[in-house]
Amino acid sequence: MTGDDQPLRCLVTGATGYIGGRLVPELLAAGHSVRCLARSPDKLRDHPWARRTETVRGDATDEVSVRAAMEGMDVAYYLVHALGTGRDFEETDRRAARIFGEQARAAGVRRIVYLGGLSPSGVPERALSPHLRSRAEVGHILLASGVPTAVLRAAVIIGSGSASFEMLRYLTERLPVMVTPSWVRTRTQPIAVRDVLRLLVGCARLPYGVSRAFDIGGPDVVTYQDMMRRYAEAARLSRRVIVPVPLLTPRLSSLWVGLVTPVPGAIARPLVESLRHTVVCTERDIARYIQEPPEGPVGLDRAIRLALQRVRGADVATRWSSAATPRAPSDPLPTDPDWAGGSLYTDHRERTVAASPQALWRVVEGIGGENGWYSSPLAWSLRGWLDTLAGGVGLRRGRRDATRLRVGDSLDFWRVEEIEPGRLLRLRAEMRLPGLAWLEMTVDRDPRGRTVYGQRALFHPHGLAGHAYWWGVAPFHAAVFGGMARNIAAAAESAAAGSAADGSGPAGSGPGESAAAGSPADGSQAAGSGPAGSGPAGGR
């Protein structure tokens, strides 16, 4: 490849996901230039590193956009997969990997780096779950592309915001006594996200002749039961009582996980399936090419402590939910006022607020998660539970950051589609619905200079069921949406009155100061700032 002291030009797919969103700032910190391939470039707009990268619009299954993205690149990172896109996701993964490899070779790319899943030793690939089997097949396709390829195979990834860590955290914290599936006694080899990123960056400079798969893992081989007990110790919880039973199938286990944790069943199932077999590293050859830090790889206990520190400090750079939720709608809000796409129902509310626009905006941007939705808690909780029972994400995803939002953030069962600091927040629904829905909140001033809060709920029905849904819930709009508008206005007025009473003036930042500062990946020493949204099979 190029000399060790020369920066490389790196293409990153999956930059809107959990791992990709953390890899980009690490590559920049290493001195490389980065181009991101994304279906929705706007989702990267508010990341603290966005202005230091180039972003091109495209899809991994589209030859034309992949070819354009590959032009002039030295290294191409493949961090995407089609899990949850439908029953034919294996064929989609297969086609995308072939296109990626072919276009990398045609463009003269010198290295492909792929993060896949660690397969159990001695188990034929045909006997693996569809998810693990597809991840293995993608690795084979890329290795056969004619471009030197490094396939990193990881099991459970431990880091703030990873699906595996969130599953571990919520199961342990919420259930002091657990009747668990037998897979909690299966051995696995977790790895800290910090080490995953270090190895991904290091693979960019592997010798040209190295083209193979590498097992990667931390220094600890443990059972999931061990991990729960060690998490409880790190979090200073009482000792957990764990009773394994053989009756819960992977499907039932994933539903159980989906009810107890924020991780929906569609994402929990591949994680659970990866724990059915012993999954440990059979070699550590990667250490021959990429030097380990002086203190060695991060152990499980330290990885848990680092992740907890990030979570408690509200310093989570990316989360498992950073990527689009499987089967969630992605259509943007129609902007044509005479929209010809069919019915578009709206519920519009507007209130004058006795507070500054800055005070009102802080309430708007802080909505959701532990802050709630300023409306009937019972109604929102019921809607969240109904969505969970229907296989949706429910209300449990919460927020990445307690006070700041950016485009692409998940927010309970919504996703931030647009944000104009100090003025506009638009959310797109990701709950199960017979149509598409948006919730839009605005902050403005009227001709008399008074602060005005605007709120619109919009719904595009799909078929008769969609129309029936809208009119079925319409009688509750006054309580739900009307109550939300009143309570948001009241919260802003209360905060403004409190600030005036103690003489502190407006707390926090003004509308032009909404971009959250970034942070490096868990425990890493990279300078600068730092989401298939996915990590490998079995451990995002």
Side-chain angles (χ1 to χ4, degrees):
M1 295 190 68
T2 59
D4 288 347
D5 59 343
Q6 295 182 5
L8 302 172
R9 295 161 296 181
C10 302
L11 173 68
V12 176
T13 62
T16 58
Y18 176 71
I19 292 293
R22 297 188 180 208
L23 175 62
V24 170
E26 299 290 331
L27 290 170
L28 293 170
H32 306 311
S33 62
V34 177
R35 176 185 293 165
C36 299
L37 175 66
R39 285 179 297 177
S40 303
D42 281 349
K43 288 184 179 181
L44 301 176
R45 185 189 71 196
D46 295 333
H47 284 260
W49 41 259
R51 293 185 179 181
R52 301 166 59 199
T53 64
E54 177 189 1
T55 301
V56 296
R57 184 183 301 275
D59 189 283
T61 59
D62 176 51
E63 287 189 30
V64 175
S65 60
V66 173
R67 182 183 306 124
M70 290 284 186
E71 185 177 352
M73 295 293 102
D74 297 309
V75 183
Y77 285 89
Y78 191 84
L79 302 174
V80 295
H81 66 64
L83 176 67
T85 59
R87 294 183 178 180
D88 60 346
F89 80 90
E90 289 183 84
E91 174 55 32
T92 302
D93 271 339
R94 191 177 300 122
R95 185 172 72 255
R98 285 175 178 161
I99 290 173
F100 197 83
E102 290 169 358
Q103 297 307 318
R105 183 176 181 178
V109 171
R110 303 179 183 185
R111 164 74 54 191
I112 292 173
V113 183
Y114 166 58
L115 181 60
L118 184 57
S119 298
S121 178
V123 178
E125 287 186 2
R126 64 179 181 277
L128 297 176
S129 69
H131 175 67
L132 286 176
R133 186 171 61 240
S134 179
R135 306 319 292 142
E137 184 182 13
V138 166
H140 297 326
I141 292 171
L142 295 175
L143 284 167
S145 66
V147 178
T149 298
V151 175
L152 300 186
R153 308 193 307 171
V156 175
I157 294 180
I158 300 295
S160 62
S162 75
S164 291
F165 180 73
E166 292 291 281
M167 193 169 97
L168 173 67
R169 179 163 75 101
Y170 280 89
L171 286 176
T172 308
E173 290 186 351
R174 292 182 173 178
L175 300 175
V177 179
M178 286 176 272
V179 177
T180 60
S182 57
W183 50 256
V184 299
R185 289 181 173 172
T186 302
R187 293 189 307 145
T188 188
Q189 192 165 353
I191 183 171
V193 67
R194 173 182 179 178
D195 283 324
V196 174
L197 296 170
R198 174 177 60 82
L199 294 171
L200 285 169
V201 173
C203 280
R205 295 198 183 277
L206 286 176
Y208 183 78
V210 176
S211 186
R212 53 164 291 186
F214 295 94
D215 294 352
I216 62 172
D220 301 285
V221 176
V222 295
T223 66
Y224 204 85
Q225 178 174 280
D226 293 332
M227 286 198 289
M228 288 190 283
R229 286 176 172 159
R230 288 164 76 164
Y231 177 91
E233 183 177 345
R236 298 183 179 180
L237 303 172
S238 61
R239 183 175 176 83
R240 272 29 195 167
V241 178
I242 301 169
V243 183
V245 296
L247 303 177
L248 293 176
T249 65
R251 183 176 184 278
L252 291 175
S253 294
S254 63
L255 293 175
W256 170 65
V257 170
L259 288 173
V260 177
T261 80
V263 182
I267 293 176
R269 184 163 184 174
L271 303 183
V272 168
E273 287 175 333
S274 70
L275 295 167
R276 294 172 60 194
H277 304 285
T278 295
V279 182
V280 299
C281 298
T282 58
E283 45 84 11
R284 298 187 64 88
D285 295 350
I286 192 68
R288 291 161 44 192
Y289 301 98
I290 302 174
Q291 185 176 5
E292 293 183 348
E295 67 276 14
V298 178
L300 175 61
D301 293 332
R302 187 180 176 211
I304 290 173
R305 289 195 302 270
L306 287 169
L308 274 173
Q309 181 181 346
R310 294 284 183 178
V311 170
R312 290 171 176 172
D315 190 19
V316 179
T318 60
R319 299 179 68 213
W320 62 269
S321 56
S322 297
T325 300
R327 294 187 297 273
S330 59
D331 303 49
L333 177 68
T335 56
D336 183 355
D338 299 319
W339 186 49
S343 301
L344 188 64
Y345 294 116
T346 63
D347 179 278
H348 183 261
R349 313 275 168 170
E350 191 170 278
R351 296 187 69 87
T352 301
V353 183
S356 68
Q358 292 90 340
L360 176 57
W361 177 253
R362 284 192 294 275
V363 176
V364 169
E365 193 176 10
I367 200 167
E370 294 183 359
N371 299 326
W373 290 90
Y374 297 92
S375 186
S376 168
L378 178 61
W380 283 90
S381 296
L382 178 60
R383 186 64 185 87
W385 273 104
L386 290 174
D387 191 58
T388 300
L389 292 175
V393 296
L395 277 174
R396 299 154 302 154
R397 293 190 301 185
R399 299 172 54 109
R400 180 190 56 84
D401 185 289
T403 59
R404 304 298 190 198
L405 293 173
R406 65 190 184 201
V407 170
D409 272 359
S410 60
L411 183 60
D412 292 326
F413 48 34
W414 305 89
R415 189 170 298 275
V416 179
E417 181 175 282
E418 182 58 82
I419 183 168
E420 296 178 17
R423 198 192 77 81
L424 167 70
L425 174 63
R426 182 184 302 134
L427 307 176
R428 187 184 67 247
E430 290 193 339
M431 73 280 280
R432 297 296 178 88
L433 287 169
L436 304 175
W438 298 266
L439 179 60
E440 190 175 79
M441 290 162 274
T442 59
V443 176
D444 207 346
R445 287 188 185 273
D446 67 11
R448 297 171 58 183
R450 297 176 300 180
T451 301
V452 177
Y453 171 68
Q455 177 182 294
R456 283 199 309 166
L458 303 101
F459 183 67
H460 170 214
H462 287 172
L464 182 60
H467 292 277
Y469 174 84
W470 175 265
W471 291 111
V473 299
F476 304 101
H477 286 175
V480 175
F481 294 128
M484 177 185 292
R486 288 193 303 272
N487 293 333
I488 286 176
E493 291 169 349
S494 177
S499 296
D502 65 20
S504 62
S509 60
E513 302 170 40
S514 183
S519 59
D522 296 345
S524 71
Q525 301 301 310
S529 300
S534 308
R540 279 171 290 183

